[in-house]
Amino acid sequence: KAKSAVRGRVVIEEEDLEDPLWELEMALLESDVEMSVAEAILDQIRTELVGQERKFTESTGDLVDEALRDALLSVIGVGQFDFDRRVTEAEKPLVIVFTGINGVGKTTSIAKLANYLDERGFSSVIANGDTYRAGANEQMREHAETLDTKLIAHEQGGDPAAVIYDAVEYAEANDVDVVLGDTAGRLHTSDDLMEQLAKIDRVVDPDMTLFVDEAVAGQDAVNRAREFDDAAEIDGAILTKADADSQGGAAISVAYVTGKPILFLGTGQGYDDLQRFDPEELVDDLLGLE
Amino acid sequence: MVLDDLGSSLRGTLDSLRGKSRIDEEDVEEVVKEIQRSLLQADVDVSLVMALSDSIKERALEEEPPGGTTARDHVLRIVYEELVDLVGESTELPLEEQTIMLAGLQGSGKTTTAAKMAWWFSKKGLRPAVIQTDTFRPGAYEQAEQMCERAEVDFYGDPDEDDPVKIAREGLEATEDADVRIVDTAGRHALEADLIDEIEEIEATVQPDRSLLVLDAAIGQGAKDQAQQFEDSVGIDGVVITKLDGTAKGGGALTAVNETDSTIAFLGSGETVQDIERFEPDGFISRLLGMGDLKQLTERV
Ligand SMILES: Nc1nc2c(ncn2[C@@H]2O[C@H](COP(=O)(O)OP(=O)(O)OP(=O)(O)O)[C@@H](O)[C@H]2O)c(=O)[nH]1
Ligand SMILES: Nc1nc2c(ncn2[C@@H]2O[C@H](COP(=O)(O)OP(=O)(O)OP(=O)(O)O)[C@@H](O)[C@H]2O)c(=O)[nH]1
Ligand SMILES: [Mg+2]
Ligand SMILES: [Mg+2]
């Protein structure tokens, strides 16, 4: 220790980190990062920094901030892939099924994605696998008509897997590039509905399952991401209503528990309000908050 | 099934106080820390959690526990009282003629709640009607119409009209015979200035006796700003918490109640029109803290 003091350096002790880490934890919670996820991230930072030497001129707080940035980036940057390229290279039709709890924005995101694909020269067919909710067929029909996209829908009360299956057959017969399969919103606590989701996953065997959640979600984001991933393994997530919320810690929670990338952000109710997700931008937003 | 593991550490901490009759500062610190954790994990606003835990700490140390009370029950009662103080009783809803407007974020459950509330009032012997003013969301008209059919209540909407204020005005006339008129509105959030202006206009036209903010149980720290904006724009008299059939604790509603100086009116716990109940503080607080039968525990004190 004496030697390092001579060189103008000090060793970081655990107690030096206590205050800055506590402040960070509060900042992460204020940004809606789930508590156990926040703690795991802070543990990582603690392990990394304790025992390290720093220059007299550096403050421990700055080092913590830097370490946090790296830790957040490694969580949120997990598994990122180029969605457009994946679509281009995929054997057609590419079948995508959307899952998530009630009212998060699955149906709207499908409409936005149909528009997104169309702008990039891909054709799509929408399958309304929500055969349950009141007005679900009318909602999707209006989107499909506005976007001039083919819609496959069955009567209310029908088998959701059958609807998506029909759309796959339609796509095969008509050279359509992408099948966008909606599912009814459900809570992860409903065993029956989660089993139904697992069945859709088995029967349809989609090429991609996208989990939709909302940026305004708080601590519960980890529970549902984990349960949906268990029932029908997800390949990525869409975080909607990012326009309502400047925090977005839910993105960290979802990426952390699933280990799957956030692919898109929903930023409004219009068809163009869909952005490719940029991990660095989110981390900058999060850190700017403190 | 998701295991309900929240609150178990709080229970553990409190249990460690079980035998003690006196409580020292260290004990209090530990309990308060666990309470903070529970409330933060329930999505209660961070600054509100800190304020709450400060007053719990102060009272636990200063107030003399009533004779024969264990330290654990003493602290528990204070926690319970502070929370009851904050959430209050259920929003008052006289069973008489009235107009109620629903407001809230996109997808929070307004339309479903409108039909549920109408069903609830009809069970109380009143004649309700739902007026759908959402001209924006595709299928909103049909959704409300079908939900009202399921609830067997009157419904007014106009799929060909795109001015929500006009629908609201005409809807009030068309449902004159109803006792309770429930006005559904399109989803919107605090940062959408044009939509906030719109709901102010609807409110001015409808002049509701009560405006309720419909909140998803899972809403995070954003609840504070959202509630503040709706309070400023239309005045919030009560909060409805939806999707409590999930694992979210609904702490955002606590924040909203604090922010709008209101109370909680209804709880939603499913997608059918019957899945509604009046708010009852004990169950809600037990859920927030992840502990059962809190009231019973505190009544012993
Ligand atoms: N502000 C905003 N609103 C959105 C966004 N995405 C969806 N919404 C709105 O959220 C509400 C619910 O969207 P839906 O697409 O119906 O959600 P869902 O997940 O399909 O709902 P269910 O099928 O009922 O489970 C609608 O009012 C949408 O317009 C977004 O990115 N920003
Ligand atoms: N499980 C469950 N689902 C609910 C509950 N309340 C509403 N929902 C579902 O949540 C989704 C959104 O509900 P809506 O009533 O359409 O929400 P909204 O606020 O009217 O949505 P917008 O008009 O688009 O802003 C639907 O799938 C509903 O069935 C509830 O208490 N529990
Ligand atoms: Mg939907
Ligand atoms: Mg609605």
Side-chain angles (χ1 to χ4, degrees):
Chain A
K1 204 162 189 183
K3 218 159 113 196
S4 50
V6 172
R7 291 206 313 264
R9 304 178 83 87
V10 282
V11 175
I12 300 175
E13 313 263 0
E14 184 141 6
E15 66 227 43
D16 301 332
L17 294 174
E18 221 165 81
D19 286 345
L21 285 185
W22 192 81
E23 269 167 39
L24 271 191
E25 177 162 12
M26 288 304 119
L28 289 176
L29 289 170
E30 272 172 12
S31 309
D32 285 328
V33 177
E34 197 267 342
M35 187 180 276
S36 66
V37 175
E39 283 172 354
I41 290 171
L42 296 179
D43 273 349
Q44 188 189 325
I45 296 175
R46 189 178 295 113
T47 322
E48 200 178 297
L49 292 183
V50 170
Q52 261 195 30
E53 289 185 354
R54 67 165 172 82
K55 295 193 200 104
F56 269 139
T57 48
E58 288 171 317
S59 83
T60 314
D62 286 347
L63 282 181
V64 169
D65 283 352
E66 249 172 70
L68 176 69
R69 196 189 146 75
D70 292 346
L72 287 176
L73 264 181
S74 73
V75 170
I76 196 67
V78 67
Q80 282 288 328
F81 62 84
D82 186 338
F83 179 83
D84 294 11
R85 211 172 86 200
R86 179 86 54 108
V87 175
T88 308
E89 288 170 358
E91 202 179 303
K92 305 295 184 308
L94 175 76
V95 181
I96 310 179
V97 168
F98 296 74
T99 65
I101 73 140
N102 308 81
V104 288
K106 295 174 292 301
T107 303
T108 309
S109 297
I110 286 177
K112 290 175 180 176
L113 213 62
N115 180 57
Y116 178 97
L117 289 167
D118 183 60
E119 281 173 350
R120 283 156 184 78
F122 299 108
S123 56
S124 59
V125 53
I126 294 175
N128 185 21
D130 183 354
T131 53
Y132 178 73
R133 208 202 64 223
N137 266 342
E138 289 85 352
Q139 181 185 12
M140 200 54 121
R141 186 169 310 126
E142 202 174 317
H143 281 308
E145 273 167 15
T146 312
L147 293 166
D148 203 14
T149 303
K150 173 74 184 173
L151 169 71
I152 305 287
H154 290 184
E155 299 255 297
Q156 211 175 59
D159 175 9
V163 187
I164 303 176
Y165 199 78
D166 275 5
V168 175
E169 290 197 323
Y170 176 90
E172 279 166 355
N174 295 278
D175 282 329
V176 176
D177 298 322
V178 183
V179 176
L180 301 168
D182 202 359
T183 59
R186 67 200 72 216
L187 286 176
H188 47 289
T189 42
S190 164
D191 293 343
D192 288 353
L193 293 179
M194 292 310 279
E195 175 46 37
Q196 184 199 58
L197 194 68
K199 185 194 154 198
I200 295 172
D201 191 50
R202 282 195 302 273
V203 173
V204 176
D205 190 21
D207 302 299
M208 211 187 271
T209 299
L210 296 183
F211 173 66
V212 184
D213 207 340
E214 49 188 24
V216 290
Q219 302 281 307
D220 197 45
V222 293
N223 286 335
R224 51 218 215 183
R226 187 181 291 127
E227 298 288 324
F228 273 84
D229 195 26
D230 280 353
E233 194 184 344
I234 71 171
D235 297 283
I238 299 181
L239 215 64
T240 63
K241 309 180 194 174
D243 51 317
D245 176 76
S246 48
Q247 273 98 337
I252 301 281
S253 307
V254 171
Y256 186 84
V257 292
T258 62
K260 306 290 165 51
I262 312 285
L263 295 173
F264 291 98
L265 286 184
T267 55
Q269 303 190 79
Y271 295 123
D272 286 328
D273 295 325
L274 184 73
Q275 286 176 16
R276 290 300 312 277
F277 178 72
D278 178 352
E280 302 232 0
E281 207 174 294
L282 180 105
V283 171
D284 287 343
D285 276 358
L286 274 174
L287 293 177
L289 251 176
E290 284 157 52
Chain B
M1 262 314 280
V2 182
L3 282 175
D4 194 1
D5 55 353
L6 295 186
S8 55
S9 60
L10 174 57
R11 235 177 329 238
T13 310
L14 285 168
D15 281 345
S16 70
L17 294 180
R18 200 184 278 279
K20 292 196 183 179
S21 58
R22 280 227 63 89
I23 186 164
D24 58 30
E25 185 148 1
E26 212 174 297
D27 294 333
V28 173
E29 289 281 353
E30 204 176 323
V31 176
V32 165
K33 231 198 241 151
E34 287 304 331
I35 289 160
Q36 285 177 348
R37 287 178 63 90
S38 294
L39 293 174
L40 289 169
Q41 284 179 310
D43 292 312
V44 181
D45 174 63
V46 172
S47 52
L48 179 56
V49 171
M50 296 309 153
L52 268 170
S53 53
D54 280 352
S55 52
I56 290 167
K57 189 154 103 191
E58 210 181 289
R59 286 187 55 191
L61 285 172
E62 275 172 15
E63 287 176 20
E64 198 57 39
T69 315
T70 64
R72 171 183 185 272
D73 287 352
H74 176 56
V75 175
L76 201 54
R77 196 200 44 165
I78 292 168
V79 173
Y80 183 75
E81 281 175 0
E82 288 290 320
L83 288 174
V84 166
D85 227 34
L86 185 57
V87 294
E89 291 299 318
S90 197
T91 311
E92 215 174 304
L93 283 176
L95 295 176
E96 60 187 36
E97 274 197 29
Q98 59 192 300
T99 304
I100 300 174
M101 184 178 83
L102 301 183
L105 295 191
Q106 286 90 354
S108 62
K110 296 172 294 301
T111 305
T112 310
T113 299
K116 285 176 176 179
M117 280 174 55
W119 179 84
W120 185 87
F121 276 111
S122 76
K123 291 296 157 221
K124 298 284 172 198
L126 291 168
R127 182 169 169 192
V130 171
I131 301 170
Q132 171 61 295
T133 68
D134 183 355
T135 57
F136 182 82
R137 169 170 162 174
Y141 171 86
E142 288 85 353
Q143 181 191 8
E145 187 188 36
Q146 290 167 26
M147 289 302 289
C148 286
E149 237 166 72
R150 293 177 192 177
E152 298 178 28
V153 296
D154 292 341
F155 167 72
Y156 179 87
D158 183 352
D160 302 319
E161 176 56 58
D162 57 14
D163 177 5
V165 179
K166 193 165 169 222
I167 298 181
R169 188 165 44 238
E170 291 176 351
L172 290 180
E173 281 165 25
T175 58
E176 238 166 343
D177 290 346
D179 302 319
V180 181
R181 293 170 309 173
I182 300 168
V183 180
D184 187 14
T185 60
R188 70 200 74 225
H189 62 72
L191 303 177
E192 292 171 309
D194 47 341
L195 295 182
I196 294 294
D197 289 349
E198 182 192 273
I199 199 167
E200 287 176 6
E201 273 180 61
I202 298 173
E203 201 261 349
T205 303
V206 171
Q207 304 210 339
D209 299 292
R210 275 164 205 89
S211 293
L212 303 184
L213 178 65
V214 180
L215 276 189
D216 189 316
I219 191 169
Q221 298 285 320
K224 186 177 181 174
D225 289 348
Q226 299 295 343
Q228 191 58 64
Q229 182 62 60
F230 280 102
E231 166 71 1
D232 286 353
S233 302
V234 298
I236 296 302
D237 304 291
V239 172
V240 179
I241 319 174
T242 64
K243 307 181 201 173
L244 279 165
D245 42 330
T247 44
K249 305 287 175 194
L254 199 69
T255 311
V257 159
N258 184 51
E259 215 51 42
T260 59
D261 202 9
S262 68
T263 44
I264 301 172
F266 286 105
L267 308 177
S269 57
E271 294 191 72
T272 75
V273 294
Q274 292 96 334
D275 295 324
I276 182 168
E277 48 188 281
R278 283 282 271 153
F279 171 71
E280 175 270 309
D282 307 312
F284 181 70
I285 292 169
S286 301
R287 182 187 176 100
L288 266 188
L289 296 173
M291 299 179 74
D293 56 12
L294 254 188
K295 190 177 186 203
Q296 204 194 335
L297 279 169
T298 51
E299 269 168 356
R300 287 207 320 260
V301 178

